[in-house]
Amino acid sequence: MTECFDCHYCKESLFGKKYILKEDSPYCVKCYENLYSNTCEECKNPIGADCKDLSYKDRHWHETCFHCFQCKNSLVDKPFAAKEEHLLCTDCYSNEYSSKCNECKKTIMPGTRKMEYKGNSWHETCFICYRCQQPIGTKSFIPKDNQNFCVPCYEKQFAMQCVQCKKAITTGGVTYREQPWHKECFVCTACKKQLSGQRFTSRDEFAYCLSCFCNLYAKKCAGCTNPISGLGGTKYISFEERQWHNDCFNCKKCSLSLVGRGFLTERDDILCPECGKDI
C-alpha cells in the first residue's frame, strides 16, 4: 500500500513535486506562498519561496526591490538609514538630513562621532582648541568670541593671575588695591584666615582681619584694657596719650559717664567734679 504524501492544505499529492515543510507539515509551493509568504514593501507582490526575503523592522522586500528611496541604488549588503519609513543609502541620507560640521562645513556621516554645543556640530577631529589646535574631545573647554579654548590655553591667554600664588583665576576671585586674588589666597597677614566677605583693614599695604589688627596695632583702652579699633565709626576719648572707649570713660568712684563733661584726674584715675572736690 502506497504511503500518502499530500499537501497539508489542498491535499493534492506531492509525489514528484517541489514542496516546503512548515512546522513538520508539507505544503505545495502555491499553498505555501498563499498562506505564508510576506508581501514586498516595494512592489506589493508576494515574496516567493524561491526568492530571497530581506527584512527590516518587520517589513519585507524582494532582493531586487531593496534599494534607496532617492537614488534607487541597491542597499543589499550596504549600510543604510531610515527616515519617515523610507530607506536611504548613507550618501543620500547625509546630503539630506545629516549635520554639517561647523568647522570644515562637510557632512557628518551617520554613525560617526560628532561633538555638539549650543546647536552647532563638529567632527570629533574638527572640534579643536583655537590656540593649541589640539582636539578637545570630552575635556572641559571655555568658549570666547565664537572660538573654543581648552582650559589650559584659556588660562594662559585670558585669565587673570593671582598676585599671591601666580596661578590663573578661573572662577570668583577678589580685587584688593586693584590687584586680583583667589578667594583662598586673600588671607589675614597674621592669622591666615580668609578675608573674602569679612571686614578687614590694612597697615603698610598688608591686609589684616579686625581681630589681628586690633591686637597688633590698636591702642588699648585705659579703662578695660581692650583694643580700641577706631574702625566703623567707633568713638573714643583721648587725653594725655591715654584713650578710652566712650563707654569706659567713667568716674572711677561713682561710675558716672564723663563723656562731654568736665573731669579731674588723680594719678591714673579720672573723677567727676563732685567726687574730685576733696582732692
Side-chain angles (χ1 to χ4, degrees):
M1 186 174 180
T2 306
E3 183 180 357
C4 179
F5 187 56
D6 300 335
C7 172
H8 183 71
Y9 187 76
C10 70
K11 306 305 180 183
E12 288 189 8
S13 175
L14 296 177
F15 281 110
K17 297 180 180 179
K18 186 176 180 180
Y19 67 92
I20 300 168
L21 283 175
K22 174 75 173 177
E23 297 175 354
D24 295 329
S25 297
Y27 292 82
C28 65
V29 173
K30 183 178 179 180
C31 287
Y32 178 86
E33 290 180 349
N34 289 336
L35 293 171
Y36 300 114
S37 288
N38 294 307
T39 300
C40 176
E41 287 282 330
E42 180 69 15
C43 68
K44 308 305 180 185
N45 293 321
I47 301 174
D50 57 346
C51 296
K52 191 171 183 179
D53 185 337
L54 301 180
S55 64
Y56 173 71
K57 291 189 174 180
D58 296 326
R59 298 161 66 200
H60 299 264
W61 291 262
H62 292 104
E63 186 173 15
T64 54
C65 295
F66 193 63
H67 52 67
C68 173
F69 177 74
Q70 286 193 343
C71 69
K72 307 306 180 184
N73 287 333
S74 174
L75 297 177
V76 177
D77 296 328
K78 293 180 181 178
F80 63 89
K83 185 71 173 180
E84 297 174 355
E85 297 190 356
H86 297 305
L87 302 184
L88 301 167
C89 65
T90 53
D91 287 342
C92 289
Y93 182 89
S94 298
N95 291 333
E96 192 74 20
Y97 302 109
S98 289
S99 304
K100 298 293 190 294
C101 176
N102 193 55
E103 180 67 24
C104 70
K105 311 305 179 186
K106 295 180 180 179
T107 299
I108 301 175
M109 299 297 289
T112 60
R113 191 173 182 184
K114 69 177 179 179
M115 315 303 293
E116 293 182 309
Y117 178 69
K118 286 191 173 180
N120 293 320
S121 301
W122 290 262
H123 292 107
E124 185 177 19
T125 53
C126 292
F127 190 60
I128 60 176
C129 170
Y130 181 75
R131 188 172 188 267
C132 68
Q133 298 295 298
Q134 294 301 307
I136 295 174
T138 57
K139 294 182 292 187
S140 297
F141 68 95
I142 301 173
K144 183 175 176 63
D145 299 333
N146 296 321
Q147 304 293 344
N148 298 315
F149 295 83
C150 65
V151 173
C153 284
Y154 181 88
E155 291 179 350
K156 290 176 183 176
Q157 188 158 339
F158 300 109
M160 292 186 294
Q161 305 294 313
C162 174
V163 71
Q164 175 67 22
C165 69
K166 311 304 180 187
K167 295 181 180 179
I169 301 173
T170 56
T171 57
V174 296
T175 300
Y176 174 65
R177 294 187 181 273
E178 299 184 356
Q179 292 181 315
W181 304 66
H182 289 112
K183 287 183 178 181
E184 58 270 23
C185 292
F186 187 57
V187 297
C188 173
T189 303
C191 70
K192 306 306 179 185
K193 290 182 179 179
Q194 287 190 30
L195 297 178
S196 177
Q198 308 297 321
R199 294 181 64 197
F200 67 93
T201 187
S202 64
R203 184 181 176 93
D204 300 328
E205 298 190 0
F206 294 104
Y208 294 86
C209 67
L210 295 188
S211 178
C212 287
F213 180 84
C214 290
N215 290 334
L216 291 170
Y217 300 113
K219 298 181 184 299
K220 302 298 190 290
C221 175
C224 68
T225 69
N226 291 324
I228 300 173
S229 69
L231 301 171
T234 303
K235 294 181 179 180
Y236 64 96
I237 308 297
S238 181
F239 176 71
E240 292 184 351
E241 299 184 357
R242 290 189 294 165
Q243 287 78 32
W244 290 261
H245 295 108
N246 267 21
D247 293 340
C248 296
F249 194 59
N250 303 322
C251 174
K252 179 67 174 178
K253 290 186 177 181
C254 70
S255 299
L256 177 71
S257 174
L258 299 177
V259 177
R261 300 170 182 266
F263 61 91
L264 301 172
T265 61
E266 184 182 18
R267 300 185 182 88
D268 292 335
D269 298 330
I270 55 173
L271 304 170
C272 65
E274 183 66 26
C275 292
K277 65 183 180 180
D278 296 330
I279 296 176

